[in-house]
Amino acid sequence: MEIYEDFYQYKVKVLNNRPSVKDYKSLQNALTEYAAYTNTVLTFERLNTVDFMADFRHWLAQPHGNKKNQNKKGKTKGNLNDNTINKRFSCLKTFYSWCEIKKIYLFDKAVSSFKTPKYENDIFALSKEDIKLLQKIKTDNTNWQQVLDLFIFNCFVGLRYSDLINLSVNNYITDYRMKKAKELIYIENENKKTGIVVQIPLQKTPLKILEKYNNKLPTFSSQYFNREIKNILEHYDLFNDIVIKKKRQLKEKKDYPILRRKLISSHSCRRTFITLGIEANIPINSLMLASGHTKLQTIKKYMKLNQNKKAFLKIDLE
């Protein structure tokens, strides 16, 4: 674990405090607590076995203890789905590669190529009708109103929350080559996570919100924002329909019903923006420039939400 700490500090420098750094910290916490729960010393010899890989994967999928003996000071809760487990193992394999490059230890091929299952998650996005319901909310709670405005604004720009709260006047660009200035204001911003520069044209709805706050949007911690948006939806009894949330653990199907509003968070804005863009037939290359995605496969996941069944009638013989 001392060597892992060196590796972690290296990733902090390389990633320059990007959000993905937390994945390596989460792995560090998981390895530390795995060793404590299993009373195991994590030597390289131990890590270099398929038995460890399988046992660690199984441990991540299990709840860590029960209410009577659960380690309250622990930083990991376990019960992870296959996608999160896959993320932990991706970080672990990066650590293995770093050790090999540094000539600290050479891992067996069977260990470094150990497979962890992954599944395609469901995408829950808001419709225009949903957003209009949020717009109609009138509240005397200043913080709630600001949270709502920020949420609605981001449904039309689709930024990651870490990028959204760091926007400044310098990010709002006007293209004077066009005739109508209001139609030409766009956001130009370097994506904090990937370093990719995005360009997002602004429509009337986000422009009105910007004008309301004098081009300086309110900011909240992500924890507060996500908690309060759920409190707002519960208070006004919005989006209380039941949806089925997909979950896979070690390939086992564990889907469960849940109120749709419980799935809404800051990231829902990004999903909504991309979904609305596809519905509006925005060219994929333009949408990718706005979202910062570099892989077409990622955008294709959103296309499944918008199957145009009527269009298939056009290929019929009659």
Side-chain angles (χ1 to χ4, degrees), residues 21 47 57 61 65 74 76 96 132 136 142-143 151 163 194 230 238 257 268 272 307-308:
V21 170
L47 294 181
R57 181 181 65 184
T76 61
Y96 286 1
K132 287 177 181 178
K136 290 179 180 178
T142 303
N143 280 1
F151 186 91
D163 293 316
T194 63
K230 286 180 171 60
L238 293 176
S268 302
T272 298
Q307 179 64 279
N308 187 341

Side-chain angles (χ1 to χ4, degrees), residues 280-295:
N281 292 318
I282 293 175
I284 294 300
N285 61 327
S286 295
L287 196 54
M288 292 176 72
L289 178 59
S291 68
H293 285 111
T294 57
K295 296 180 180 178

